[in-house]
Structures are given as structure tokens and as C-alpha cells.
Amino acid sequence: MRKPIQQSDSEVPVSIYRKDYAPPNFWVDKVEMGFDLHPIRTHVATRLFMRRNPDRSENDLILFGEDIKLLQLRLNGVDLKKSAYRLTKECLTIVNAPDEVCLEVETTIAADKNTTMSGLYVSNGNFYTQCEAEGFRKITYFPDRPDVMASFTVMLRGDKDAYPVLLSNGNLIEQGDLGDGRHYAKWEDPFKKPSYLFALVAGKLVCQEEKFKLQSGRQVLLQVWVEPGNLDKTQHAMDSLKKSIRWDEQRFGLELDLDRFMIVATSDFNMGAMENKGLNIFNTKYVLANPRVATDTDYAGIESVVGHEYFHNWTGNRVTCRDWFQLSLKEGLTVFRDQEFSGDLVGTETGRAVKRIEDVRVLRQLQFSEDAGPMAHPVRPDSFVEINNFYTVTIYEKGAEVVRMYYTLLGHEGFRRGMDLYFQRHDGQAVTCDDFRVAMADANGRDLKQFERWYSQAGTPRVSAQGHYDGSKKTYSLSLTQSCPKTAGQSKKKPFHIPVAFGLIDVQGGEVPLQLEGDTIVARTKILELTRESQQFVFVNVEQDVTPSLLRNFSAPVILEFEYCDEQLAHLLAYDSDPFCRWEAGQRLAMRRLLNLVSAIQKGVPLSLDILFLDALKKTLIDTSLDPAFRELVLTLPSEAMIAEEMKVADPQGIHQARQFARAEIAQYLKSDLLQVYQDNQTPGKYSPDALSAGKRALKNCALAYLVEWAEKSTYELAYTQYQDAENMTDRMAALLAMLHCSSALDKVYRKTRNQVLLEFYKEFQNDALVIDKWFTLQATAPTTDVTQVRQLMQHKAFSMGNPNRARSLIFAFCNANPAQFHCADGSGYEFWADSVIALNKLNPQVAARLARSLDRWTKYPKAQQTRMKAALERVAKTKSLSKDVAEVISKALAI
Ligand code: B3K
Ligand code: ZN
């Protein structure tokens, strides 16, 4: 459907710059739309009521349109002749438009041919839309930019049998029969919104609905719409929605502003979900769950994504972005809000810490790597070629860390004051990241000018710390120095405003009361504000030598360097009162060893693990005073991707071997403890996804994954029995994973069982698309699966390139999560990658561009591999009809 922009070697993709922002020449007050739905030819009649922007001197009315057929244009009741407007591939300009405009536009759309899943498209016979960022222009000609906010009335007409359900934003104000086998529904959204929040859904759907009372006493209607046959999987999404509504009322005083709130699930979706006003459209992955088909991770994901989209209603919809460079204004803030929501729901201190650690792990593994690669960009980018490429971990996750730093600097109440002022000032407006920062500063009487650099400078800052204890003066001096590596277009960075949460642990493991020299306040944790390149902080009345606990709760998205010795790390792992730093100490101990193991493998010298490390792990494993979920996090070694990040030249096979060796050693050393933990953390009875039960299952299954590393019949059978007896998908999947992903010692003996189990599993779940996705991923990420096998799996009847979830479950899973096989020496992984990017580019440029990013870090590998990767990148670059989505990613990767 999408006509890709022609790219050739010499053509450089066109960039759009933030500095070029100008308000629109015309505002749109009201939009009336009529849809006659038909998969081959949907007819759209739009009436736009517009008026000149008095702040602009230009008279041209500019509307965007893409891949749609323009049938008619009428301006203030008069048909427009071709000479009265200019029409290009992407733009419709009405020259010298009058001050007041009523523009009638008729277009048609071939929704059934739209494989891009942007604009109006068909999935399983139903219609869906996706308009963010620039999909509305694939429906009609419109000033499709977020600063144009209008009220919408939408009339949907369609065949009664094929499309019994007709949904759009806001309230249903009328519906009825058209007498010719068709019917209609008219929707009105009482709030002004930018076009990217427009949505319609039509088709055969069923819903679970509930009336829900808001704190104010007002009653609202909540609905979760799914395809028939899925109503047994909607309860968790509905519960999550109710919790989200309540939470936003209690934590931020924000009420649902509509009388009706709908969630619709579709299996064809480019990302997780979309916050369209009153009509959120979701990937089925983030709606459908019951214990038979969904894991604890799925349950948690649903809760947080339902929350995220709901929270957008205020942070994104009521207050939106002036332009797409400000994307993190809504995304960073909403991720922060969904992270807090999940943390608050767990309720306990460690539960909250577990959530925090999981979030930090994602940030470090994905965002730090992005910030160090060719796609590095500031939280508020300065330019882009294709905005869809900028829905990144930097905008989302680093953006959320930036918001969290306000929270850390201003405190709970101070942050709430800032939020209140932000809404007071900007409700109903399209604003910038600066507006948010200024509201935070003004509400708290703080100067946050320097803080702006978090938005404008890319790259992960490094903070290096040095501590000195002076026994005679009883002082502890901490020196902090910051720097930030150069990134594309930014060679010199100015110092950031960095909150460093800090504590001191004494020899007995107790917390030292902290008092800064010249200060009277004593605290257990101090938020030190590092604003200059180097600063020194002196603490007084420190009675004995101490171990510093730095960057508590990960108070800033930085890399912290401190020369800890092993004993200090073991001490922190055992005693730090800050769970994040405690976990971090364990990770540092592990990382040091893993890097040593990789280097030993490269040199061909014998491998070993030391008792200090093994004992530290053992202590945590058997400490039943700790949350099972926390113990699981400590017992999980840094991922292969994290280890690669720490190396100058990555060695995927060496890393895999080193990590497997460490796992086997740990399994041997902790033999009986692992068995004990496995027995002690069973969760018999009715399945519940609550944090404690999920934590127990996580620890138990972590123990199982270690146990199979014994490479003995007994533990392998333990996994097999768990697989057969499992009463929920979490345990079933974990058992399968243990069997498929353990080291190869038992491979030959058990290959038959494994293949048998995979076949049985497929048979049992073949009608559950989300489970079959898991089945593909399990195989794609198994250490024994090579490129040839992945290509074979693509021939399986259940594989489909056109379904984003399926493509991700196999192709992305292999390219991103099976590094030792993907980076195999002959380069066949890269050829597979290039073939897949090229194939996806034709169908769905957004999904293709995501896959294109798997080779971002190609310069981090040995020279021979670099040559092969570069050849694959160049092959993609030379492809005819390359979309600008893919072209941008590839050209940036090659420009390095
Ligand atoms: N705002 C959407 C993402 C839209 C992506 C467009 N390529 C989902 C979210 O962040 O909530
Ligand atoms: Zn979002």
C-alpha cells in the first residue's frame, strides 16, 4: 500500500529539524467525518472547519495526505478546480485560502491492501486504525500535526453482518439501521484532540463490560473488546484498567474525563498499544490472558501497558506535544507514571525495588547501547527523517529516568506540585518539554535551567567516584567527576545536573548517619547534586572506615565508576539497606568474573570461579528473609548483551561459553540449596499473578534452570515432570526453557524428548496465536538453533511475515536474543538479517526499520565480522524501493 520513497546510493534521506518549527497557518476547530466502510474501497467524506492563525502571515493552507485517492475538494461550498490547489505525493496546498474555511474532502482508501498497519487497515476481516504519528494522513487530507487540536464527530456506516460493531472516539450519540443490510453509528468526542489520537474500529467483536464508579461518584462504562472466542481472557485487562483509573485519581488527582472508555485488542499491530482518546487499541499480547496461556511476565506486561495507555489520557491527550520532537514529553512522563503505578500496586518496599531493578536492567541493556551507537539521540531530538524511528528506548526509558530525576530532586510532594501546575497551565494545549520543566521549577521555586541538558545532550554520562576516609578527622570525602562521550553531531558536552543518592555502610553492615560538613541535617541517604564537572562532598562524624553505597535506587541514568574491591562488593550485597545497590553489588561481582572468563577462553587458559563469589550468591539464595523475586534477580547473571556492552570488542561465542560455564559452576556449588529452594517455592492451588506468587515462581524456575545444568538425568526429568504437570503457562514455559536452553551436555540423549515436547506443545496450543509466538521464540533463542534452522522454521505453516508479532517471535528473537548463533563466523546470520529486512520493507516499513537496528553496533565486533556486517548493511542500502524508515537506520549505521 505504502509507496516507498525511492532511494539510491546517492540519495540522502531528507531530515526535518526541530529548529524549523513554525505554528500552522490555519487552525482546525471542528472535523466531521463520514466513513462508508468497505475493505477494497472505503469512502471517506470529511468536512473541516478552519480559520487562519492570526500569528502567521502566510496564506497557504497545507494539508498532508498519503496513499489515498482524492475524489473531490470543496471550499466554502464551491468545488475546487485543479488550478486552485497543488497536489504532490504527500501534500495538498490550497493557495491563498480565505480566513474562514469550510473544506470538504472526499477520499477513498484500499484498506485491504494496507500491510503497513498505519492508517486504516484490515485484520481478520475487521477494520482498525493507527494514526500516531502520521497515519491520519492515510485516511484523509488534513493538517496532520499534533499542535492542531480539533473536535471530531464521526459517522460510521457498514454492512451489518460483516461489521456488527462500529466504534470511534468519545460518546456514541446515535445508531440505527440504513435499511440496505447496512447500519450506522455516530460518535462524538467532547474533547479537542490532535489527529494522531483519532481511531475507528469496525467488525465482529465481543466485549466484557462493567460499570465503574469514579471517586467523585460519577459512573462510567468500561469495555474490553476482543474477537469472539477470547472473552475468557479479558478479566485481567479489565482489572488492570480499573486499578489504573483508581490510581490516577489517588496519586495525581486525575479523573477519567469520559463516560465511556474502551480497549480493543487486535492481533495485527505494529507496537504494544495506542492511547486513542476513549478508544485504546491494543496488541492482543497486552490484553489477552488466562493462566493456561499467559505467563507472569505477560500478566505484569498487561497491567503496565493498560496503565500506560490509560495514563496517557492526561499526559499526552489532554496535554499533548507541540511537535514530534517533544515526544518524550508524553512518553517519558507516561512511562514514569506506569512504572510508579506498577511499583505502588506491589506495595512492599522490596516489591518496589524489584520493579525498579527490572526497569534499570532494560534501560542499561537497550538504552545505554542505543546511546552508544549510530542512532544515539537526545531525549528531545534535533532532527529526524522518519518520526516512527524515534519511538525509542531513549525517548521512552531514558525520558522516564529524566522525569524520575525531577521526582528525586523535588521529592514526592514537590513533584506533585509540579504536575498540578503543569495541568493548571497547559490543559487542552500542545506544549514542549521546556514547559514541563518550567512548571516543575516554578511550582517548587527551583532553578532547573541546567537540567535542560538532559533533554538536549545525547550519550550516557559517566560519573567516576573516589572516596577517602580520614580516621583522625573522622571524615569521609567523596569526589565525583562527570563526563559524557561524544555522540553524532555533539562532540563537547556540558556538565549535567545529576542527583546522586548516597549512603555509607559501616563494617558491621549498619547504615552510617550522614552529615555534610557545614550542614546540620542528618540522613541515611543524601541526594548529592552534581552540577559541575568535579565536586567534593565531605561527611563529618564518621566513626570508622566505611563502604560507599552509590547511586541508590539508580538515581540518575549514568554509568557509575568506583574501584570497589571484591570484599566491599560482597559486603554491600550482604548488608546495603538500598536493595538496588545490593543487587548492583552482586552484578558487579558477576560481571568482573564473566569478563575474566571470556578473556581466559580467548587465551585458552583453564576456567574457574572463586569461592567469595559463589558464597555471596549462596548467602542470597538461602536468605529466606529476602523476597523470592529479589533473590531471583541476584541469582540471574548479567545477560550476554550486557557483557558485550562492557567489552571493547564483543565476542558473542566467548561470552556465551563464559556465561554457560559460570552457570554450570554455580549449579554445582549450590546443588542442594537449589533443590531446597525449588521445593520451598512451589505455588500450589489456584493461580494468582500477584507479585509474591510470581516472585516465588521466578525463583523456583531460576533454580530449575540452574539445576538442569548439572547435566544429570534426575534434574532434566524434574524439568520434564514440571512441564507435564504444570497448571499454568509460567511453569510450563519455564520447564520448556530449561530443557531447551541448558548446555549441550545432554543434548543428544534428550533431543528426541525435546522435539517430542515441542510437537506436543504446538498441537495443544496451535489455535492460540500468542502461545505459538512463544513457541517460535523459544526455538529462535535456543543456543542450539542456527540460521539454517531459523530459515526452516520460517517455512512452518504457522509462520507469517506479515504479522508483526509472528515476525518478532522468530526473526527478531533470533537476531536480537541469540547472539552466539546470529554472529556465527561465516556471516550467514547477517545474510539472513538482510533478507528479512528487505522482505519486511515491502510489507511493513516500521517493522522492517526495527529489525534494521539489529546491526546498529556492527563496529563493536572483530574486523572480519565487521566486513560481513557492512556488506549486509550495504546490500540493504542498495535495495530498490527502500522505505525512508529503513533508509534512515541503515544510512546512520553506515555513516559511523
Ligand atoms: N503512543 C503509542 C506509540 C505510537 C507509535 C507510533 N509509531 C503507544 C504508547 O507509547 O503508548
Ligand atoms: Zn506511550
Side-chain angles (χ1 to χ4, degrees):
M1 170 73 182
R2 184 189 180 105
K3 294 199 192 71
I5 286 182
Q6 201 75 30
Q7 297 285 339
S8 72
D9 267 357
S10 56
E11 263 177 291
V12 183
V14 183
S15 292
I16 299 166
Y17 294 91
R18 183 167 62 87
K19 63 174 170 39
D20 293 340
Y21 171 82
N25 297 345
F26 282 79
W27 297 113
V28 183
D29 292 316
K30 206 164 75 169
V31 183
E32 292 170 358
M33 301 187 86
F35 286 83
D36 282 292
L37 295 163
H38 193 282
I40 299 173
R41 188 179 183 275
T42 287
H43 182 270
V44 189
T46 311
R47 198 175 287 139
L48 305 173
F49 296 89
M50 295 182 274
R51 74 194 138 83
R52 181 183 304 286
N53 179 355
D55 300 336
R56 299 283 296 164
S57 54
E58 287 166 42
N59 297 334
D60 290 354
L61 172 52
I62 299 163
L63 306 122
F64 301 104
E66 213 180 299
D67 295 340
I68 45 179
K69 199 165 160 196
L70 179 62
L71 297 184
Q72 184 147 38
L73 267 183
R74 206 172 296 129
L75 187 115
N76 293 340
V78 180
D79 283 355
L80 269 191
K81 290 206 196 71
K82 291 230 158 112
S83 57
Y85 61 88
R86 277 200 309 269
L87 188 63
T88 66
K89 225 167 137 220
E90 295 180 346
C91 203
L92 168 69
T93 309
I94 298 173
V95 192
N96 275 328
D99 289 357
E100 301 269 330
V101 173
C102 170
L103 188 70
E104 291 168 271
V105 189
E106 281 182 48
T107 50
T108 58
I109 312 166
D112 64 334
K113 297 230 165 54
N114 182 1
T115 59
T116 66
M117 284 161 216
S118 159
L120 181 73
Y121 66 98
V122 177
S123 158
N124 286 341
N126 295 339
F127 284 101
Y128 300 90
T129 53
Q130 171 56 39
C131 292
E132 188 175 359
E134 297 177 336
F136 192 72
R137 64 189 63 185
K138 297 173 89 176
I139 294 174
T140 189
Y141 283 92
F142 195 80
D144 185 18
R145 35 186 291 167
D147 54 354
V148 173
M149 296 174 85
S151 55
F152 281 71
T153 308
V154 177
M155 169 69 103
L156 302 175
R157 283 178 290 259
D159 187 90
K160 264 200 293 197
D161 293 333
Y163 313 109
V165 175
L166 302 170
L167 308 174
S168 192
N169 315 87
N171 300 317
L172 177 65
I173 51 169
E174 212 185 303
Q175 59 184 329
D177 210 292
L178 289 167
D180 53 354
R182 299 193 313 148
H183 67 152
Y184 74 91
K186 193 171 179 184
W187 293 81
E188 188 179 69
D189 187 346
F191 294 93
K192 286 192 164 224
K193 65 167 176 287
S195 50
Y196 81 86
L197 291 174
F198 168 86
L200 80 76
V201 172
K204 292 198 186 87
L205 294 165
V206 288
C207 85
Q208 176 183 351
E209 64 178 15
E210 262 182 56
K211 294 227 168 79
F212 185 70
K213 210 175 183 163
L214 304 181
Q215 264 179 4
S216 64
R218 188 160 61 84
Q219 225 179 37
V220 292
L221 177 65
L222 308 179
Q223 296 181 320
V224 179
W225 292 90
V226 293
E227 284 181 11
N230 280 329
L231 274 181
D232 60 337
K233 305 188 193 80
T234 52
Q235 189 59 50
H236 182 63
M238 178 60 91
D239 289 343
S240 304
L241 177 58
K242 290 188 286 185
K243 286 179 191 164
S244 309
I245 297 175
R246 196 57 89 227
W247 182 83
D248 221 8
E249 290 179 331
Q250 290 172 345
R251 176 88 187 252
F252 286 105
L254 298 171
E255 187 182 71
L256 174 58
D257 54 9
L258 292 162
D259 295 332
R260 176 176 182 138
F261 192 89
M262 299 170 279
I263 286 177
V264 186
T266 169
S267 48
D268 286 302
F269 209 61
N270 279 349
M271 63 269 171
M274 177 63 211
E275 70 263 25
N276 317 299
K277 185 82 187 186
L279 181 59
N280 287 187
I281 300 180
F282 273 61
N283 188 323
T284 42
K285 181 172 164 57
Y286 292 107
V287 174
L288 303 182
N290 67 27
R292 196 181 95 86
V293 297
T295 62
D296 291 332
T297 312
D298 296 327
Y299 272 84
I302 291 168
E303 187 176 84
S304 94
V305 177
V306 167
H308 181 95
E309 306 311 329
Y310 176 75
F311 303 142
H312 266 315
N313 192 48
W314 278 95
T315 48
N317 302 4
R318 288 287 288 252
V319 184
T320 195
C321 302
R322 187 193 71 174
D323 53 71
W324 290 121
F325 298 104
Q326 319 296 329
L327 183 57
S328 196
L329 171 76
K330 73 177 179 82
E331 296 305 349
L333 177 54
T334 306
V335 171
F336 169 77
R337 273 153 55 69
D338 84 50
Q339 291 176 347
E340 286 294 288
F341 167 63
S342 301
D344 285 350
L345 283 190
V346 182
T348 62
E349 207 51 46
T350 28
R352 207 183 290 277
V354 165
K355 168 71 181 146
R356 180 74 187 128
I357 292 166
E358 287 167 352
D359 293 338
V360 173
R361 229 169 25 177
V362 171
L363 181 88
R364 282 181 172 165
Q365 187 163 313
L366 303 178
Q367 198 281 324
F368 281 18
S369 152
E370 178 167 276
D371 239 350
M375 272 291 287
H377 56 275
V379 166
R380 185 194 55 207
D382 292 318
S383 71
F384 58 74
V385 171
E386 168 54 61
I387 182 57
N388 285 316
N389 284 334
F390 283 78
Y391 287 75
T392 58
V393 274
T394 298
I395 302 294
Y396 277 68
E397 270 69 28
K398 187 173 180 181
E401 292 301 319
V402 171
V403 174
R404 187 172 292 282
M405 285 190 285
Y406 290 111
Y407 183 74
T408 305
L409 288 167
L410 305 173
H412 193 80
E413 277 81 31
F415 184 78
R416 173 64 196 269
R417 276 195 295 278
M419 288 290 278
D420 289 351
L421 185 62
Y422 174 64
F423 291 117
Q424 199 183 310
R425 283 183 179 170
H426 302 298
D427 186 14
Q429 300 175 2
V431 301
T432 65
C433 298
D434 282 334
D435 293 317
F436 183 78
R437 181 174 53 80
V438 170
M440 284 288 155
D442 289 356
N444 290 282
R446 287 277 312 242
D447 178 354
L448 292 174
K449 282 201 192 69
Q450 188 183 349
F451 196 81
E452 197 270 341
R453 290 178 193 155
W454 282 111
Y455 292 96
S456 55
Q457 298 187 140
T460 307
R462 286 178 180 267
V463 173
S464 87
Q466 275 175 332
H468 174 71
Y469 178 65
D470 186 331
S472 61
K473 291 193 193 137
K474 299 210 181 312
T475 57
Y476 184 85
S477 315
L478 179 75
S479 307
L480 298 177
T481 304
Q482 61 165 306
S483 64
C484 183
K486 62 172 191 247
T487 45
Q490 297 184 334
S491 49
K492 274 236 159 345
K493 313 279 166 99
K494 295 194 174 124
F496 291 87
H497 183 168
I498 305 175
V500 180
F502 177 73
L504 285 174
I505 308 296
D506 67 20
V507 181
Q508 291 77 35
E511 194 98 27
V512 176
L514 299 182
Q515 188 178 357
L516 275 168
E517 198 172 44
D519 197 352
T520 50
I521 305 164
V522 179
R524 288 157 60 95
T525 299
K526 278 259 181 207
I527 308 295
L528 308 174
E529 296 192 27
L530 176 62
T531 52
R532 297 198 297 275
E533 211 172 284
S534 281
Q535 264 164 265
Q536 204 186 41
F537 300 88
V538 180
F539 297 91
V540 294
N541 303 327
V542 182
E543 297 301 327
Q544 45 160 270
D545 200 2
V546 281
T547 306
S549 165
L550 283 149
L551 209 67
R552 288 186 151 182
N553 201 36
F554 197 64
S555 58
V558 302
I559 295 170
L560 183 100
E561 292 159 348
F562 183 87
E563 294 281 321
Y564 284 114
C565 66
D566 280 350
E567 287 69 22
Q568 282 178 311
L569 290 173
H571 192 63
L572 289 176
L573 175 57
Y575 298 112
D576 199 329
S577 66
D578 183 79
F580 171 79
C581 285
R582 201 168 174 176
W583 167 79
E584 175 77 333
Q587 294 293 295
R588 280 180 193 259
L589 279 175
M591 184 62 87
R592 209 168 267 180
R593 277 142 190 92
L594 289 161
L595 292 171
N596 286 340
L597 287 170
V598 179
S599 123
I601 289 165
Q602 289 171 340
K603 290 189 197 118
V605 299
L607 310 182
S608 66
L609 269 189
D610 57 300
I611 296 296
L612 178 138
F613 175 59
L614 291 167
D615 268 340
L617 286 186
K618 183 182 168 110
K619 268 193 204 132
T620 312
L621 179 67
I622 61 175
D623 185 347
T624 48
S625 73
L626 293 168
D627 245 20
F630 180 77
R631 285 147 75 197
E632 190 267 336
L633 287 175
V634 174
L635 262 289
T636 302
L637 297 176
S639 66
E640 292 179 22
M642 282 299 295
I643 304 168
E645 241 356 89
E646 293 286 318
M647 297 174 65
K648 218 174 151 52
V649 179
D651 171 5
Q653 290 76 23
I655 291 170
H656 180 71
Q657 206 186 324
R659 197 170 180 277
Q660 282 307 114
F661 171 82
R663 288 180 53 77
E665 286 289 297
I666 293 165
Q668 284 302 328
Y669 190 77
L670 302 179
K671 236 175 172 175
S672 55
D673 303 305
L674 286 166
L675 265 180
Q676 192 63 46
V677 163
Y678 184 77
Q679 307 302 349
D680 290 349
N681 287 277
Q682 299 290 328
T683 50
K686 191 169 174 283
Y687 171 85
S688 156
D690 68 273
L692 183 61
S693 313
K696 280 188 171 180
R697 278 188 290 272
L699 181 59
K700 174 193 73 183
N701 289 326
C702 166
L704 179 67
Y706 273 116
L707 286 168
V708 292
E709 295 294 344
W710 292 4
E712 280 172 16
K713 211 168 162 227
S714 67
T715 55
Y716 199 85
E717 270 161 12
L718 198 63
Y720 188 55
T721 310
Q722 174 169 321
Y723 171 78
Q724 284 182 314
D725 297 349
E727 285 177 355
N728 59 66
M729 186 51 85
T730 308
D731 286 340
R732 191 180 284 259
M733 214 53 212
L736 255 186
L737 197 79
M739 285 155 72
L740 259 87
H741 286 212
C742 66
S743 331
S744 51
L746 282 173
D747 201 44
K748 286 212 173 64
V749 189
Y750 283 97
R751 186 169 293 164
K752 223 168 129 198
T753 337
R754 296 208 283 214
N755 290 344
Q756 193 56 36
V757 171
L758 278 171
L759 278 175
E760 279 169 26
F761 186 91
Y762 178 79
K763 242 172 130 181
E764 188 169 348
F765 293 102
Q766 55 186 320
N767 296 322
D768 259 294
L770 295 171
V771 183
I772 298 305
D773 289 340
K774 296 184 201 307
W775 181 80
F776 275 113
T777 300
L778 198 65
Q779 297 175 77
T781 53
T784 46
T785 302
D786 60 17
V787 191
T788 314
Q789 283 164 287
V790 177
R791 286 194 191 267
Q792 270 161 15
L793 277 166
M794 283 175 74
Q795 301 307 314
H796 192 281
K797 64 174 187 287
F799 183 75
S800 148
M801 196 68 141
N803 176 257
N805 283 1
R806 200 47 56 85
R808 285 187 279 257
S809 76
L810 180 59
I811 300 173
F812 286 55
F814 179 71
C815 297
N816 296 339
N818 197 346
Q821 291 285 2
F822 177 60
H823 293 281
C824 63
D826 63 6
S828 56
Y830 313 140
E831 279 163 34
F832 167 73
W833 166 88
D835 293 344
S836 306
V837 173
I838 293 167
L840 274 168
N841 174 66
K842 289 194 195 126
L843 291 170
N844 191 327
Q846 279 187 44
V847 175
R850 295 269 153 178
L851 181 64
R853 299 213 39 203
S854 304
L855 248 59
D856 263 13
R857 305 299 304 281
W858 65 280
T859 53
K860 233 184 132 50
Y861 293 84
K863 279 277 175 290
Q865 291 302 88
Q866 283 192 25
T867 310
R868 296 186 175 96
M869 285 193 234
K870 192 163 181 230
L873 282 159
E874 280 166 349
R875 176 151 75 91
V876 175
K878 284 197 188 107
T879 308
K880 281 214 168 68
S881 306
L882 201 58
S883 61
K884 61 174 173 171
D885 310 54
V886 176
E888 177 172 30
V889 172
I890 301 289
S891 68
K892 284 184 175 159
L894 283 171
I896 223 167

